[in-house]
Structure formats: structure tokens, C-alpha cells
């Protein structure tokens, strides 16, 4: 496309554009005015006067709008965009001009019709992909308002927003969040997880995007809650807790910490979970929540936890808050009881090499079948090492050492002994030297 026009029609456009605008608006002869402008647009286009083409195209759209002829507006937008050799800038400008009228339309039907027209003419055109994405989001909002959530979700998720290079980071992130929200509304958790990966983690780490980070993690909490991934829920809540927005709001900070800490105690035991237990315990905000502070003292002290004490003393304050609130409160409280039992078994395994099953059931306040089931689960998950000797009615917690382990242990002991002997010899030598000097 040549930048320099073959013939400059700017003077002709300056003369004819206002005349035809008056003809359409003041005299009500829109069809005649549009026909004259279409002829002018064709001459400009054939002579490569692209600036004049832009002005004429926008003028035709404005004439249709000012006469309130929405049907003509839709028809002429399609005609202008489909004209042979039409410039990209002219199409972009007339689409942008038509989009500016959407807020002024009182009828939702008229608004929807114009949006559909603009989406049709922008389909498959990269130079107006930003405008098409915004139009799609607006159409989805209208459909959602009308109760057509499934259709709105399908339409919005057709947009591959990560490929729209001209869209700013914040707008793109908010677009992905809207896609996630609609997917969660219809219960499509698999696609929610896929769409969530479109948000760049560097964006979430940016302090200017903390509100986006909070919303993103709130949506991921809903996803992980459906999957009962308690550790993942804690990670999301912990990310929210560490934002400046939450840290500067004492009430909100306390509420988020309650939720995060409650989900952490429900998570299966591993090194990460144990590390976070001790970190949260040292948080000054936790001291302002006495029930949770006491709970974390139980969970980080290497002593057996008496479930009856937890159930009577802490349940009135814990139940109904954080993870222990809502429709799943009873089920999660049962999971918490299992976690306490697992904790007690780990503590017993630290202090005892072996124990009778009868004694273990007494310490855990469980039946023999329940005890065997939980121990078997912990062994299967490789959280503790244990073996059951049913004929002897004994559980062994100490893993037998191999020949290599015994030899290595003996070798380490010998090395330690020799180091101590050498150190003693050195000290004796220093004493002898000191006495000779005197």
C-alpha cells in the first residue's frame, strides 16, 4: 500500500463531507448522503488517498448514528469493511467509532445487534483483535445478565487472549480472570485449571497487580476446594495473606490468616507442611487469635494431643470459622480428627521402637480396627515406617538396619572416637609446653 496518494482528495472531502452530513442529519436524506459518500470513498480508495478514506468511512458511520438509523449503521459497517482493498486503518477507525456508541444505546437488543455486527467484521483480522476481544467480553456480560451463563462462558473462552499482543498486561490479566470466573460458575474445573496457566506468574509477583493476585488466588481456592487439595488452598491463601493490601488491613489480615491456618492443619503431613506450621506459629498476628494460637502450639510440640481436650476446648472457637465453616464443616472436622491421630502416631514412632497394639489403641483413644487402618494408611503414604506383628499383637516402629547401615554407624563412631583422642592429645601437649615454659 502506497503511503503517498495518487490523487489528493482532501479538499474534496473537506467540501463534501459537511454537506452530506447536513443532508442526512438536518434534511433526513440519509440514503442519498450515504450514497454520495460511498462514491467519494471509492474514488479516494482507488487513488490510494487513505487518509481521506478514513475520514469518509468514519463520516458515514457518524451520519448513521446521528440520524439514529441503527439498521443503516449495521449495514454500512459491513459494506465498508468488505469493500475490495479496504485499508486496515479505515476498518480499525470505523470499528472504534461504532464501539464508542455502545454506551449510549438504551436498548440491549440494539446493543447486542451492533456488537454482533462488529464481531462479524472483525473476525480473523489481527489488526482489530483487541477491539474484537473487548466486544466479546461486552457481549458475554449481556448474556450473563440475561441468565445465559453457559453461552457467555463458551463465547468468552473462544478468545485466545494470550495471543493479543496489543492488549496491556492488566487488561489481559483481568480478561483471563473473567474467563476463569465464568468457568467456575458453570462448574468446568478442568478448563479453569488450564485457563489459569495463561496468567504470567511475573505479573502476579508485581506489586502493582496485587488486586489481580488476590482475585486469581480466590478463584484458585474455589478450584482446589472442589478437589479437596488442602495444601494448595493454603498456598493460595498464604499468597493473599502476604500482599500489602491484606497486611495493611488488620481485620482482613486476621480473617485471611484464620482461613490459611485452618486449611494448613488439614493438609497431609510432609516437609513443606511441617515447615509452614512452624512459620505460622511465629506470626505475631496468630497471637491475636487465641484458639488458633493454642492449636498451633499443640501441632508443633512433640507431645501427644488429647483429642477430647481439642474437641471440648477449641471446637467452640474453631468450628464455624475458616475451613471449618460452611456446608463442609462437619466433614472437615472429621478430617482434622484424622490429622490429629496421624500426628500422634508420628510422635509415638519417634519415642518408641515397638508397642503393643492394645497400648497404641489406648493412647489414640481408638478401636483396634481404626488404629490398624490409620497406621496402614500412614505406612502406605510413607509418612511413617511401621510393621504389624499380628500373632504377637505388636507394632514395630524402628526400621531394621542393613549390614551397610550398621557398618557405617560403627565407622562414624570410630571416626568420632579418634577425633576426640587426637583432640585430647593436642590439649595434653599444650599443657606440657606451658609447664616447661614456666
Amino acid at each position: 500500500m502506497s503511503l503517498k496518494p495518487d490523487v489528493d482528495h482532501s479538499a474534496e472531502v473537506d467540501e463534501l463531507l459537511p454537506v452530506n452530513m447536513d443532508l442526512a442529519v438536518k434534511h433526513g436524506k440519509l440514503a442519498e448522503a450515504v450514497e454520495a459518500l460511498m462514491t467519494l470513498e471509492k474514488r479516494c480508495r482507488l487513488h490510494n488517498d487513505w487518509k481521506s478514506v478514513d475520514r469518509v468511512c468514519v463520516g458515514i458511520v457518524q451520519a448513521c448514528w446521528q440520524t439514529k438509523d441503527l439498521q443503516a449503521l449495521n449495514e454500512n459497517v459491513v459494506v465498508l469493511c468488505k469493500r475490495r482493498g479496504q485499508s486496515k486503518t479505515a476498518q480499525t477507525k470505523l470499528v472504534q467509532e461504532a464501539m464508542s456508541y455502545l454506551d449510549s444505546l438504551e436498548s440491549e437488543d440494539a446493543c447486542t445487534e451492533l456488537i454482533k455486527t462488529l464481531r462479524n467484521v472483525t473476525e480473523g483480522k489481527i489488526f482489530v483483535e483487541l477491539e474484537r476481544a473487548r466486544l466479546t467480553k461486552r457481549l458475554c456480560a449481556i448474556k450473563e445478565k440475561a441468565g445465559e451463563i453457559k453461552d457467555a462462558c463458551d463465547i468468552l473462552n473462544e478468545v485466545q487472549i494470550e495471543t493479543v499482543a496489543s492488549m496491556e498486561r492488566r487488561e489481559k490479566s483481568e480478561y483471563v480472570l473473567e474467563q476463569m470466573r465464568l468457568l467456575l460458575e458453570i462448574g468446568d474445573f478442568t478448563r479453569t485449571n488450564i485457563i489459569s496457566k495463561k496468567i504470567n506468574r511475573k505479573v502476579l509477583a508485581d506489586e502493582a497487580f496485587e488486586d489481580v493476585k488476590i482475585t486469581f488466588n480466590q478463584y484458585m481456592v474455589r478450584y482446589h476446594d472442589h478437589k479437596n487439595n488442602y495444601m494448595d488452598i493454603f498456598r493460595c491463601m498464604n499468597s493473599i495473606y502476604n500482599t500489602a493490601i491484606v497486611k495493611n488491613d488488620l481485620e482482613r489480615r486476621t480473617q485471611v490468616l484464620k482461613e490459611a491456618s485452618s486449611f494448613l492443619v488439614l493438609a497431609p503431613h510432609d516437609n513443606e507442611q511441617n515447615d509452614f506450621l512452624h512459620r505460622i506459629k511465629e506470626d505475631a498476628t496468630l497471637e491475636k487469635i487465641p484458639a488458633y494460637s493454642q492449636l498451633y502450639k499443640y501441632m508443633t510440640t512433640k507431645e501427644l494431643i488429647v483429642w477430647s481436650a481439642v474437641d471440648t476446648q477449641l471446637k467452640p472457637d474453631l468450628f464455624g470459622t475458616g475451613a471449618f465453616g460452611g456446608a463442609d464443616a462437619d466433614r472437615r472436622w472429621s478430617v482434622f480428627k484424622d490429622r490429629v491421630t496421624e500426628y500422634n502416631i508420628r510422635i509415638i514412632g519417634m519415642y518408641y521402637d515397638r508397642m503393643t497394639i492394645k497400648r497404641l489403641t489406648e493412647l489414640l483413644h481408638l478401636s483396634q480396627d481404626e488404629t490398624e487402618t490409620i497406621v496402614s494408611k500412614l505406612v502406605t503414604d510413607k509418612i511413617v515406617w511401621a510393621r504389624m506383628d499380628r500373632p504377637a499383637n505388636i507394632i514395630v516402629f524402628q526400621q531394621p538396619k542393613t549390614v551397610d547401615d550398621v557398618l557405617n554407624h560403627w565407622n562414624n563412631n570410630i571416626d568420632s572416637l579418634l577425633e576426640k583422642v587426637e583432640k585430647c592429645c593436642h590439649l595434653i601437649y599444650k599443657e606440657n609446653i606451658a609447664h616447661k615454659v614456666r
Side-chain angles (χ1 to χ4, degrees), residues 16 20 23 30-43 56 60:
L16 294 179
N20 284 286
L23 183 64
L30 176 63
E32 295 178 17
V34 169
E35 186 177 354
L37 289 174
M38 285 288 188
T39 304
L40 177 60
E41 183 272 339
K42 182 178 181 180
R43 288 202 302 274
V56 174
I60 293 171

Side-chain angles (χ1 to χ4, degrees), residues 107-122:
S107 171
E108 276 196 2
D109 292 337
C111 185
T112 304
E113 188 63 31
L114 180 56
I115 290 174
K116 288 181 178 178
T117 300
L118 293 174
R119 288 186 77 241
N120 287 336
V121 299
T122 56

Side-chain angles (χ1 to χ4, degrees), residues 68-342:
K68 302 300 179 184
D69 192 337
L70 299 180
Q71 183 178 355
L73 174 62
N74 288 303
E75 291 173 354
N76 286 304
V77 165
V78 174
V79 169
L80 288 169
C81 287
K82 289 188 175 182
R83 285 208 149 185
R84 183 175 179 273
Q86 186 61 277
S87 72
K88 295 178 180 179
T89 54
Q91 293 182 63
T92 302
K93 287 183 178 180
L94 73 87
V95 167
Q96 290 173 346
E97 181 67 24
M99 284 178 64
S100 67
Y101 304 147
L102 292 172
D103 290 328
S104 303
L105 288 171
E106 297 178 357
S107 171
E108 276 196 2
D109 292 337
C111 185
T112 304
E113 188 63 31
L114 180 56
I115 290 174
K116 288 181 178 178
T117 300
L118 293 174
R119 288 186 77 241
N120 287 336
V121 299
T122 56
E123 185 176 4
K125 298 175 181 177
I126 296 178
F127 54 90
V128 284
E129 61 181 357
L130 175 61
E131 287 75 13
R132 179 177 170 78
R134 289 172 177 169
L135 287 165
T136 302
K137 187 176 181 181
R138 187 150 191 163
L139 178 62
C140 291
I142 294 173
K143 284 188 171 292
E144 184 183 8
K145 188 178 179 181
E148 301 174 11
I149 299 179
K150 182 69 170 64
D151 291 341
C153 181
D154 291 341
I155 292 171
L156 190 66
N157 281 280
E158 288 174 0
V159 180
Q160 303 299 322
I161 196 64
E162 67 276 12
T163 64
V164 183
S166 55
M167 184 177 283
E168 293 182 356
R169 290 197 305 166
R170 171 169 286 279
E171 186 178 0
K172 188 178 291 187
S173 300
E174 291 174 349
Y175 205 101
V176 175
L177 290 178
E178 186 65 12
Q179 290 178 323
M180 290 175 63
R181 185 185 67 81
L182 288 175
L183 287 168
L184 288 170
E185 289 294 330
I186 65 171
D188 193 342
F189 295 98
T190 302
R191 288 176 68 192
T192 300
N193 189 34
I194 295 171
I195 293 295
S196 68
K197 293 177 171 54
K198 292 184 178 182
I199 291 188
N200 193 329
R201 295 307 184 263
K202 290 182 180 179
V203 171
L204 298 179
D206 193 333
E207 292 182 0
F209 288 80
E210 284 197 339
D211 55 331
V212 173
K213 180 179 181 180
I214 290 173
T215 305
F216 171 78
N217 281 290
Q218 286 173 340
Y219 290 160
M220 291 308 296
V221 165
R222 291 174 61 183
Y223 166 76
H224 292 305
D225 185 32
H226 174 74
K227 300 290 185 180
N228 291 326
N229 297 330
Y230 298 122
M231 193 63 200
D232 290 321
I233 293 175
F234 166 76
R235 292 191 190 102
C236 294
M237 297 304 302
N238 193 49
S239 295
I240 295 173
Y241 178 71
N242 289 322
T243 58
I245 295 174
V246 174
K247 287 284 188 182
N248 295 330
D249 186 341
L250 178 59
E251 184 178 350
R252 189 175 181 185
R253 185 174 74 209
T254 305
Q255 181 60 34
V256 172
L257 183 60
K258 276 185 182 180
E259 295 182 13
S261 56
S262 60
F263 279 109
L264 181 59
V265 296
L266 294 179
H269 173 78
D270 56 20
N271 291 335
E272 183 185 15
Q273 190 257 7
N274 187 58
D275 179 54
F276 274 115
L277 279 174
H278 286 83
R279 289 189 192 183
I280 297 293
K281 181 193 171 187
E282 300 301 324
D283 196 311
T285 308
L286 192 68
E287 297 177 2
K288 299 174 183 178
I289 319 171
Y292 283 92
S293 179
Q294 184 61 41
L295 173 62
Y296 270 70
K297 286 179 182 177
Y298 284 149
M299 299 296 291
T300 54
T301 305
K302 294 181 180 180
E303 296 178 1
L304 293 179
I305 300 174
V306 181
W307 174 251
S308 58
V310 174
D311 201 32
T312 55
Q313 296 175 12
L314 298 183
K315 186 175 181 179
D317 295 321
L318 295 178
F319 205 75
T321 64
F324 306 117
D328 293 330
D330 291 325
R331 181 179 61 81
R332 287 174 178 167
W333 190 255
S334 177
V335 172
F336 174 51
K337 182 181 179 182
D338 292 341
R339 294 289 180 258
V340 170
T341 303
E342 292 170 4

